Amino acid sequence: MTDWFDAHIPRHVRTLDAYQPGKPVEELERELGITGAIKVASNENPLGPSPKALAVLPAALAQLHLYPDAGGFALWRAIVAKLGLGLGQIALGNGSNDLLYQLVLATCEPTDEVVSHSCAFLSYRLAAQVAGRPFIAAPTTPDLACDIDALIAAFTPQTKLVVLGSPNNPTGSVITQAGAAKVLAALPARALLVFDEAYTEYAAAWPEIDHVDGLALLRADRRVVVLRTFSKIYGLAGIRIGFAAGDQAVLDVLGRVGRTFHVSSLAQVAAIAALEDGAHVAASARHARAQIERFRAEIKGPSVRVLPSLANFVLVDCGRPSPPIYDALLKRGVIVRPMAAWGLPNAIRVSVCKDSELARVITTINEVLAA
Ligand SMILES: Cc1ncc(COP(=O)(O)O)c(C=O)c1O
């Protein structure tokens, strides 16, 4: 079978790394012989799903024998009304990652380049690689944020998609409004600028910090595409729903490469309700900011640095290789995300947690960093 694989599987697929899923907490507890493990590894919302979304799901269960509305009409209408967008400026996806993959498939010729930076969310590279398109990673600033000038210097006549997270995962850094304007001014005429705003509702809790509003830019420039998700602040990661906002011509082509019925009926009704759950969104944003302030003030150690973050996690530069730190934390029941795959071998990423867990998370990290 190896011969068949080598001879018949396209090279760009053969060289892909399979996604390594984290183990479920219960499995880890069993393996390590511990109980009460805390998972702060996946940037989920520790306050749980939007209660309004939970409330509408039982009624939707009775309709599970029917296919979902393939156009997602009711959700689509709710989103454009909420965000003040024109009709046709929204596409729904099975999570926002789904839409990123569709964007690459729908817009990039084989030699077209997807451009981001070296500390960007790994999916940008993966979406390009899965489609066999070149991915270009510009260098970052010394504090691991997007270096706007270096990004622009990486543009070539083949640049087609420029993808920027704001806030970015795993650094938590944002693109400033001036930075975004500079990128747009330098964007090759054939390219689109994609803002991945998976954590943007969290950034709203930091009004004093300048950061880009992708939707405002989209209103002024048709070359902007914004990706949003219900997986983070709305607490609906398990049901898989996200959307893209952009020019109608761009979103039309997404529909051509997307699969039919890829957004479930449960996801659609849950998202409509969650969108109206302002109380849950505001509480989640306040909670994340308060915990990030605690992480930044209290996680300490020789050469340890906790980066500023406007999302629901922090990147901790441990000042030394992080795999043994990750292992030691695991044994003590605190599951963080090691960052070697991101090219950050000294870093771990720590998501916000329940308030009742916070003291243990910080104390355990500090004990391990001090060891
Ligand atoms: C920056 C960023 N974008 C997108 C996603 C994926 O979102 P979704 O669950 O909507 O596919 C994540 C999830 O971790 C993320 O961190």
Side-chain angles (χ1 to χ4, degrees):
M1 215 50 195
T2 312
D3 291 348
W4 180 88
F5 181 85
D6 289 342
H8 301 299
I9 297 295
R11 210 184 88 78
H12 74 273
V13 178
R14 270 186 277 141
T15 50
L16 286 174
D17 289 327
Y19 177 69
Q20 301 294 337
K23 286 189 186 163
V25 176
E26 299 75 21
E27 181 61 20
L28 274 172
E29 287 183 338
R30 206 187 48 75
E31 265 181 34
L32 298 169
I34 56 174
T35 53
I38 302 172
K39 182 175 166 226
V40 280
S42 299
N43 304 344
E44 293 149 343
N45 187 343
L47 302 194
S50 149
K52 288 199 173 180
L54 287 184
V56 295
L57 284 172
L61 294 177
Q63 303 295 317
L64 281 185
H65 59 300
L66 302 177
Y67 278 102
D69 172 9
F73 188 70
L75 174 57
W76 167 78
R77 223 176 30 185
I79 295 171
V80 294
K82 180 96 187 164
L83 301 182
L85 292 165
L87 296 174
Q89 285 194 291
I90 288 290
L92 302 177
N94 190 261
S96 60
N97 242 336
D98 182 35
L99 293 156
L100 180 68
Y101 278 61
Q102 287 181 21
L103 258 175
V104 177
L105 270 181
T107 64
C108 293
E109 301 277 3
T111 53
D112 285 348
E113 293 167 351
V114 179
V115 182
S116 192
H117 59 79
S118 58
C119 287
F121 185 43
L122 283 184
S123 279
Y124 310 157
R125 177 187 296 273
L126 239 140
Q129 287 174 336
V130 163
R133 281 18 178 191
F135 177 80
I136 311 295
T140 61
T141 62
D143 57 359
L144 308 181
C146 176
D147 180 332
I148 298 291
D149 293 328
L151 181 86
I152 291 171
F155 294 171
T156 73
Q158 272 71 50
T159 300
K160 185 54 103 26
L161 288 180
V162 178
V163 189
L164 299 175
S166 183
N168 180 54
N169 176 9
T171 55
S173 57
V174 286
I175 307 288
T176 63
Q177 296 178 66
K182 200 168 174 185
V183 176
L184 261 181
L187 195 70
R190 67 200 297 277
L192 296 172
L193 176 54
V194 183
F195 284 106
D196 178 354
E197 294 191 336
Y199 302 95
T200 194
E201 300 87 352
Y202 287 106
W206 303 80
E208 75 278 25
I209 298 186
D210 170 26
H211 59 274
V212 67
D213 172 352
L215 292 179
L217 278 189
L218 165 61
R219 287 186 194 102
D221 196 315
R222 302 174 52 185
R223 298 172 302 161
V224 171
V225 178
V226 177
L227 299 178
R228 296 263 181 110
T229 182
F230 287 89
S231 298
K232 303 299 172 183
I233 210 158
Y234 296 102
L236 297 176
I239 215 163
R240 312 302 304 132
I241 173 94
F243 64 91
D247 187 69
Q248 182 157 7
V250 176
L251 299 185
D252 274 354
V253 295
L254 289 194
R256 294 179 195 210
V257 297
R259 289 160 300 128
T260 321
F261 302 127
H262 63 317
V263 180
S264 76
S265 47
L266 295 184
Q268 293 184 29
V269 296
I272 292 170
L275 211 51
E276 291 309 317
D277 202 343
H280 182 255
V281 168
S284 302
R286 271 198 311 273
H287 170 267
R289 176 173 178 154
Q291 288 213 353
I292 283 169
E293 286 173 343
R294 293 272 309 268
F295 283 150
R296 294 205 67 219
E298 296 176 31
I299 295 179
K300 292 198 162 69
S303 314
V304 170
R305 197 165 57 116
V306 183
L307 268 63
S309 166
L310 271 63
N312 65 347
F313 54 82
V314 288
L315 189 77
V316 182
D317 178 351
C318 303
R320 62 181 198 268
S322 67
I325 293 168
Y326 165 76
D327 286 338
L329 286 170
L330 201 61
K331 289 199 182 92
R332 294 165 188 236
V334 174
I335 308 163
V336 300
R337 180 60 62 99
M339 287 286 115
W342 262 262
L344 299 167
N346 288 358
I348 54 173
R349 194 191 63 201
V350 185
S351 309
V352 297
C353 55
K354 293 190 177 75
D355 281 337
S356 58
E357 299 168 333
L358 185 63
R360 188 175 138 211
V361 169
I362 293 175
T363 308
T364 312
I365 292 175
N366 282 340
E367 281 169 8
V368 168
L369 288 173

